[in-house]
Amino acid sequence: MLSISIGPFLIAVPLFITIVGISVFWATTHWLTRKSPEKKQAVDAIFNSVWVGVVVARIAFVLTLWSEYKADWWQIFNIRDGGFIPYYGWMASVFMLIVSSGRKRKISQVYLQASIPALCVIVALKYVAFLSNTEVGLPQSSVRNSIGDKVSLQTFKGRPLVINYWATWCPPCRKEMPILQAAQHHHSDVTFLFVNQGESTSTVTEFLQAQGLELDNVFYDPASQLSRESGAAGLPTTLFFDASGKLIANRMGELSQASLAHYLQQLNANENGIQNKESKRK
């Protein structure tokens, strides 16, 4: 399961876990301070620390991939690309809570008590997500090429693989296509597959020609079976597999040049790690 559908909203699993964890922490703090005159300070500090954490996580991501942002500074503010480094955000949030509680021991104790159920919920949800993701491998279902022949995705094992689920009616899909096209041309060591969901060959061909896109490995999934098999509830969804077909990372939503570079770095680091282990065994 890569994303969760809540009514009309689609939320990536990591974001959902973060929201639930923060909500549990806030609710517990609210309950523990319900009769305390320091309730407002304790609760307000949580909101402030969350905002600080988000900003720091974004800044850390931008600095890490500054080479991708320096040519177009406005993309720094395009947070829809999912460009955050959570570790730094969590550390900044915790630091802010410590600073805001100051010498008020009661608030510090409340935060410590509230962190216990929040951590339990986060760990439990992450474990469930981990078990779910271990089942997400390279899809077994076949796709069709432009002339209607069936193609098994298993034949693409042996090299790092990026699979993009998309549709012509999806605005974020359309926006990220030029970025994915450029990446396909620049990263010859990675195979990119573009699997259209639920549309006809003629519709896709007309769209690609109208947009001036030249993509290799465009395939068709008329029944949208692959996205369901992968646990992807929304489009666009991009999956990153290693050479053995193991899922390394995934992104539900629009990719920017920087966020795509981030995931490709993860893919490359994983491949380098595997090669180092194999060389040590020899």
Side-chain angles (χ1 to χ4, degrees), residues 13-185:
V13 169
L15 178 59
F16 174 77
I17 293 174
T18 299
I19 292 173
V20 171
I22 293 172
S23 299
V24 170
F25 183 81
W26 175 86
T28 306
T29 299
H30 189 278
W31 185 78
L32 291 173
T33 58
R34 64 192 183 282
K35 297 180 180 179
S36 172
E38 298 173 334
K39 173 183 175 180
K40 187 176 186 305
Q41 179 185 350
V43 173
D44 287 350
I46 296 175
F47 286 105
N48 294 334
S49 67
V50 169
W51 283 114
V52 168
V54 170
V55 171
V56 169
R58 179 62 176 179
I59 291 174
F61 183 85
V62 170
L63 292 177
T64 302
L65 290 144
W66 178 244
S67 60
E68 305 294 337
Y69 284 104
K70 63 182 181 181
D72 186 2
W73 285 35
W74 287 109
Q75 285 300 314
I76 293 174
F77 305 101
N78 179 25
I79 61 174
R80 293 175 301 175
D81 67 357
F84 299 91
I85 300 182
Y87 171 79
Y88 293 104
W90 283 111
M91 293 298 291
S93 293
V94 170
F95 178 76
M96 275 297 297
L97 285 178
I98 293 173
V99 171
S100 63
S101 62
R103 297 181 179 179
K104 295 185 178 182
R105 188 174 179 181
K106 288 184 178 179
I107 294 181
S108 298
Q109 289 177 340
V110 167
Y111 287 155
L112 285 173
Q113 292 171 350
S115 67
I116 295 174
L119 286 173
C120 288
V121 169
I122 289 174
V123 170
L125 290 176
K126 280 188 171 293
Y127 181 68
V128 172
F130 170 76
L131 293 179
S132 176
N133 283 346
T134 55
E135 299 175 359
V136 180
L138 196 57
Q140 298 291 331
S141 301
S142 297
V143 293
R144 294 188 179 274
N145 59 21
S146 58
I147 61 175
D149 294 334
K150 285 187 176 182
V151 178
S152 172
L153 298 185
Q154 298 295 318
T155 60
F156 292 97
K157 282 185 178 180
R159 296 178 64 188
L161 179 65
V162 177
I163 301 179
N164 178 253
Y165 297 142
W166 69 288
T168 63
W169 51 261
C170 163
C173 301
R174 299 163 68 103
K175 189 175 180 181
E176 69 180 7
M177 275 296 166
I179 295 171
L180 288 165
Q181 175 185 251
Q184 185 178 56
H185 292 163

Side-chain angles (χ1 to χ4, degrees), residues 269-282:
N270 179 78
E271 289 300 311
N272 289 338
I274 293 174
Q275 291 175 4
N276 290 336
K277 287 182 180 179
E278 290 179 349
S279 63
K280 287 181 180 179
R281 289 175 183 174
K282 293 178 181 179

Side-chain angles (χ1 to χ4, degrees), residues 7 114 186 200 224:
H186 294 154
S200 66
S224 301

